[in-house]
Amino acid sequence: MNTPATAKHQGVQARHQAELDAGQFTIQRCGACARHVYFPREVCPHCGADGLALVAPSGLGTVYSVTTVRRKPEAGGDYNVCLIDLDEGVRLMSRVEVQPADAVQVGQRVQARVMSEKGQGVVVFDPLDTPASQASQAKPVPVSQGPAAAPAVHTSSGLQALRGSAAIAGVATFGCGEATGFSEMEVLAHAARAAVADAGLKMSDIDGLCTASVLSTMWPMPVTEYLGINPRYINGTMLGGSSFVAHLLPAMMALQSGQCNAVLVCYGSTQRTSTFGRAEIAQARRAMDPQPYEAPYAPMQPLSAYALATRRHMHEFGTTRRQLAEVAVAARAWAQRNPEAFMRDALTIDDVLQARMVSDPLSVRDCCLVTDGGGAFVLVRADRARDLPQQPVYVLGNATANWNRQVSSMHDLTVTAASQSGREAFAMAGLTPADMGVVQLYDAFTINTLLFLEDLGFCKKGEGGAFVEGGAIAPGGRLAVNTNGGGLSCTHPGMYGIFTVIEAVRQLRGQGGERQVAGVKTALAHGNGGTLSSQSTAILGTFETL
């Protein structure tokens, strides 16, 4: 291939873009294992070799999933965002140039071409009328399953020894809904102080800190400063909404080693009322967290990523919008029993089905709330927890998994890394899904609940839709899911994971009020981050479960 002279001494991303700008679509081929790779990178993700060459693909592909972003005509009208599986065995985000925009079908054959858009070369696809047997003599290569194919469960004796070694001694929330007049830091501080007090401690007792924020890459430092603490253990790991569930295991290790004695895990956001609005946050993310192989196609992120997963789940398993609506209605029914929930008015299946479509097949009622809110909990060693005022809630298991950042890099849109984090957390706890009394899932979108119920083992893959039918996860159903109302109806300040832990603790303490599930001894709290990217699962229990 004749590489433009200006691109010869550039990184692979720049070289790839230079080819596009010159009208040539390229992917990579590994010289060691002969497999194709996309997006372009320096090292082969399959074998680890660095001998990757840019090559021209056939351009033939199949639509793996599709969503149509719905816009008013004055805003430019509808457009589709697709995931395309090239015959070479790689997947990319693009769009299919067809009218109407929603005429694209999963399984449709397409042909790539390069066009110039805003002065930059981008790959788009056109429908291919020629049958696949005539269009290419080569059989398409399936996209690699990647990490999802690994069946091994990692649970060492050291991890099992940590089971029940730490307990959550205090929890609190603040400003969930609208916290007009408060900053992000102030919301966090109110929740933090209340959680420390709930644990029967003083802020000066806190010598460990775990926190994360969308708006600041160095968030633990201003939090430390604002709260006036001097932590010996600090964790600012940012994995999106799963962060605060993922903070549990490292904090347990710090406590067990004696590095610290009381860890505060805290979060605050005022995304609903802040003058720094969601548009500004999205713009900042494009600079701080660039996704150059998806951004040109303008997916309405994160919504479009979850819409693509929904469409694929529907295609493979026959899941229906009515089944998705069951998730939203169940969450609302729990929220109506929770005085802290932001949305408590009645919601029916028909309300969800008739709601405004945003990125199909997800409507506005399939999407989480946009609220303010702060949450915090305090973790101490188990022996110390017994001397504190609240009933201890013990951490029996915790595991985190991350397979991708971009949704186009997911190997199977119907299988998330929760299938790994869940089985490892259960293995550490020595329990199974059947042992769980309540389940708190990160329900940013209705599809999340179905995917996580499947991946965490509460039902078989593809049966999530049938599992939730008939109010099965609503009050009085067979499995109590998101008893506070979840991100769909209680609160969602941007990262919801910490609230799954807080609600699990309240249920295990018997403090759920009207929504309390009787006799709860075990609970699962699960966090999700990015676009079905990071997943973290925690198994919690009362003293009887030790």
Side-chain angles (χ1 to χ4, degrees), residues 196 201-208 227-230 232 262 384:
V196 171
L201 300 173
K202 303 183 297 296
M203 194 62 75
S204 58
D205 295 319
I206 299 300
D207 56 359
L227 296 180
I229 59 178
N230 181 21
R232 292 193 292 269
R384 187 181 190 190

Side-chain angles (χ1 to χ4, degrees), residues 313-330:
H313 203 276
M314 289 176 159
H315 173 77
E316 288 195 26
F317 306 115
T319 308
T320 66
R321 287 200 61 226
R322 178 170 288 274
Q323 290 170 334
L324 293 167
E326 289 268 10
V327 174
V329 170

